[in-house]
Amino acid sequence: MSSAVDHIVPPAVAEEELFRAQVYVLLARLFVRPPDAAFLAALGNLAGEGGEFGAALDRLAEAARGSDPAAVEEEFTTLFIGVGGSERTPYGSFYLTGFLNEKPLAELRVAMARLGIARADGVTEPEDHIAALCEMMAGLIGGEFAPEDGDIVGLDGQRAFFDRHVGSWAGRFFADLETSPSARFYRAVGAVGRSFLAVEARAFDLAA
């Protein structure tokens, strides 16, 4: 799947907000399918700007430069698809309840309807997959959805969605990924996700 949700044409977005959205898009892309040679080459050019998140980006770039696409594809399959079960389960319901397709997914679908987020045609994954949620956050930041009340979702709305559907579990998922026995390239991805969500949480707190 190339997109988990349908989008509308977004308005202009401030530079710092655009950066946040781009990180979410990057994370979504890395969990939709394994990066090919061209994407790995692009990742290899990333450069952090200091701090824990910047260091994590630097490690991701280094991991990308040292990774073979075929090996990353095999790693992706082992981690997230697997034969007889994946090593990691990237769904909110699983992390919040221990089971798939539980109450958190139902609550997410209610929130999606209220925020004007529609599941894209042809997508079979439940909406609480980490890739879909990252894409939703990017769309909320960029004003790419049409909420029922007609307003663009501001920081308060973004925070409410983040706290309930992303921050409540995704940090643990990313941390687990960093320690997965089969993870090599995706350990660096996990570090980027974990440190970025920590930045997001602090920024929301400061804006409150």
Side-chain angles (χ1 to χ4, degrees):
M1 69 180 173
S2 59
S3 177
V5 293
D6 286 332
H7 301 262
I8 61 174
V9 177
V13 181
E15 184 176 351
E16 61 271 19
E17 297 299 284
L18 180 61
F19 176 76
R20 291 176 59 217
Q22 288 174 335
V23 176
Y24 277 117
V25 169
L26 171 64
L27 290 170
R29 169 64 181 81
L30 286 166
F31 289 102
V32 167
R33 57 184 177 276
D36 58 17
F39 192 23
L40 285 172
L43 291 172
N45 292 323
L46 290 174
E49 296 183 356
E52 183 179 0
F53 177 61
L57 284 178
D58 290 338
R59 291 196 299 273
L60 178 60
E62 182 180 0
R65 291 192 295 268
S67 293
D68 173 73
V72 175
E73 182 175 2
E74 182 177 353
E75 178 183 335
F76 184 94
T77 299
T78 300
L79 287 170
F80 309 121
I81 302 173
V83 177
S86 60
E87 196 166 293
R88 294 298 175 201
T89 307
Y91 298 93
S93 285
F94 180 82
Y95 268 82
L96 293 171
T97 71
F99 300 95
L100 297 175
N101 301 313
E102 289 293 327
K103 184 178 179 181
L105 176 58
E107 293 177 349
L108 171 63
R109 287 170 174 166
V110 171
M112 288 173 63
R114 185 178 68 254
L115 294 167
I117 305 173
R119 179 170 171 158
D121 292 338
V123 174
T124 58
E125 294 281 3
E127 296 91 326
D128 61 345
H129 188 284
I130 186 62
L133 288 166
C134 286
E135 190 178 353
M136 290 179 208
M137 281 299 302
L140 291 173
I141 295 166
E144 298 179 23
F145 304 123
E148 290 178 340
D149 60 11
D151 291 335
I152 296 297
V153 178
L155 278 177
D156 287 345
Q158 292 172 32
R159 178 176 187 168
F161 186 90
F162 175 89
D163 286 348
R164 180 66 190 93
H165 304 293
V166 182
S168 56
W169 71 277
R172 286 185 287 140
F173 164 71
F174 287 131
D176 287 345
L177 190 54
E178 290 182 84
T179 62
S180 293
S182 298
R184 298 294 181 271
F185 171 78
Y186 273 88
R187 287 190 181 187
V189 176
V192 168
R194 177 181 52 76
S195 58
F196 176 65
L197 293 194
V199 171
E200 282 281 272
R202 288 195 296 270
F204 283 132
D205 286 341
L206 290 172

